[in-house]
Amino acid sequence: MANFSGVITVEDRLAILDMFARQSHCIDGGDAAGWAATYAVEGSFHSPTYKLTATGRAALTEFAENSNAGARSRGEQFRHHVSAIMLTPKTPTEVTSVSYLMILATTLDGTRVDRSVRMFDDLVKVEGEWLVASRTVLRDDAELQAK
Amino acid sequence: MANFSGVITVEDRLAILDMFARQSHCIDGGDAAGWAATYAVEGSFHSPTYKLTATGRAALTEFAENSNAGARSRGEQFRHHVSAIMLTPKTPTEVTSVSYLMILATTLDGTRVDRSVRMFDDLVKVEGEWLVASRTVLRDDAELQAK
Amino acid sequence: MANFSGVITVEDRLAILDMFARQSHCIDGGDAAGWAATYAVEGSFHSPTYKLTATGRAALTEFAENSNAGARSRGEQFRHHVSAIMLTPKTPTEVTSVSYLMILATTLDGTRVDRSVRMFDDLVKVEGEWLVASRTVLRDDAELQAK
């Protein structure tokens, strides 16, 4: 598909940034359904590293629950910090995003960087709300290993 | 109070983001009075972890001076990185904010994540300027311990 | 020069933030020429710590290539995270910026904070595009040592 010639409106851009922030607070705060609700109804999450694909909100909710439960069982509190967000409009309701994700893990012994990841997203505007249609996450360490 | 039905204007939002950035540069750069000036005249800072409350600009200045002096006495340079800022408008001049704060500490031996914190802010617009009316900071490690 | 009395337009501000994000993806992704293209034609990069100055796009490209090649030779993937960006307009086409830069380094053994840096930039708008006219980077550890 040829690129959309237009630009993202300021309102769309800010709504997308809000969505990223909300995702972090939801998944780190144990609101798995809230995190899944930031995906389109048939949205999907792909992690080649873990050979994982979750599609649809029920599967996405389960994935987020497992992720958070895993951290809690290790006595860890995760915090997802997203930065360097690059948005490219494709159509007035479709934007692709590439961004950095740093996950911090805190235990009673202190805080460390758990991992560094890139996120490749197809975002879609549905009834005025920006949602993730498809996300692929690539861990930097897995990428190094693949080289 | 019922939530304000309106949205934050782009100008208000950007002014708030500027305020967060200015706070980091002030407190890390040793400008304690500049940091305190980002609070309302009767603004307050609460840290349940340290059983600390500072109210009013004189007390806030003293808190910032002590915080920075403590880091310097340990040979540390702090950097406050704020992200995942979620803003909720309450009235045209009142916004609540929840955000992540990562504090980096650098010594001659290198840089490490000193701590991971959430900030819960009541922000207020006074004479055209967004200020902190009340801030509560919760350290992730203290929250884990409380569980 | 007296400060420009005006403010940065929302469009200019967002274009500047996009430029910072693009720089990170370029330099971390090995696109040295793409990184250099975010500088003005006679733009310059200064690192007092390394007693380094690179001026002009050929020299900037070479600097970025060497930086990335060094990381790769150590088995490291860098990620540049910029935050706390404070912009001050000087004229309608000139803005100064002070910001924090955290560089993450990932190896097969995990991810760590490689360094904490402040960036002092003179930005210039050339034919509608915001570019770096001059950048000086100061490492926190070098600043501590100089005290």
Side-chain angles (χ1 to χ4, degrees), chain A:
Chain A
M1 187 186 70
N3 273 12
F4 175 53
S5 63
V7 295
I8 307 178
T9 67
V10 173
E11 288 67 27
D12 281 338
R13 174 198 280 256
L14 296 177
I16 289 169
L17 297 184
D18 281 347
M19 185 270 287
F20 280 112
R22 193 162 59 249
Q23 286 194 320
S24 293
H25 289 277
C26 281
I27 199 159
D28 297 331
D31 181 5
W35 182 79
T38 65
Y39 283 72
V41 170
E42 288 304 312
S44 57
F45 174 95
H46 310 276
S47 169
T49 310
Y50 297 113
K51 295 184 176 30
L52 169 81
T53 295
T55 303
R57 287 180 176 166
L60 290 162
T61 299
E62 187 185 354
F63 163 73
E65 278 170 352
N66 289 342
S67 170
N68 197 54
R72 295 300 171 88
S73 74
R74 295 185 301 271
E76 291 179 334
Q77 173 65 59
F78 278 168
R79 297 291 173 207
H80 286 63
H81 291 251
V82 179
S83 72
I85 299 168
M86 286 188 68
L87 302 177
T88 305
K90 297 299 181 183
T91 75
T93 60
E94 294 170 291
V95 166
T96 59
S97 167
V98 184
S99 58
Y100 289 173
L101 166 64
M102 170 185 66
I103 303 182
L104 293 184
T106 295
T107 67
L108 294 180
D109 294 326
T111 300
R112 64 186 168 75
V113 181
D114 186 73
R115 74 193 88 155
S116 174
V117 176
R118 280 180 302 158
M119 300 199 295
F120 299 84
D121 295 338
D122 291 331
L123 307 177
V124 63
K125 194 175 188 178
V126 180
E127 294 174 11
E129 190 180 11
W130 282 97
L131 301 168
V132 179
S134 176
R135 167 171 294 171
T136 299
V137 295
L138 297 181
R139 287 181 63 134
D140 284 351
D141 51 3
E143 292 298 290
L144 283 170
Q145 201 150 33
K147 275 171 185 168

Side-chain angles (χ1 to χ4, degrees), chain A residues 79 81 102 104-107 109-112, chain B residues 27-28 45 47 49-50 52 63 66-68 70-71 74 76-82 100-105 112-118 137-142:
Chain A
R79 297 291 173 207
H81 291 251
M102 170 185 66
L104 293 184
T106 295
T107 67
D109 294 326
T111 300
R112 64 186 168 75
Chain B
I27 198 159
D28 297 332
F45 175 94
S47 169
T49 310
Y50 297 112
L52 169 81
F63 164 73
N66 290 342
S67 171
N68 198 53
R74 295 186 300 272
E76 291 180 334
Q77 172 66 58
F78 277 168
R79 298 291 174 208
H80 286 64
H81 292 252
V82 180
Y100 289 173
L101 167 64
M102 170 185 66
I103 303 182
L104 293 184
R112 63 186 169 75
V113 181
D114 186 74
R115 73 194 90 155
S116 173
V117 175
R118 281 180 302 158
V137 295
L138 297 180
R139 286 180 63 132
D140 284 351
D141 50 4

Side-chain angles (χ1 to χ4, degrees), chain B residues 121-143:
Chain B
D121 295 338
D122 291 331
L123 307 177
V124 62
K125 194 176 188 178
V126 180
E127 295 174 12
E129 190 180 11
W130 282 96
L131 301 168
V132 178
S134 175
R135 167 170 294 171
T136 299
V137 295
L138 297 180
R139 286 180 63 132
D140 284 351
D141 50 4
E143 292 298 289

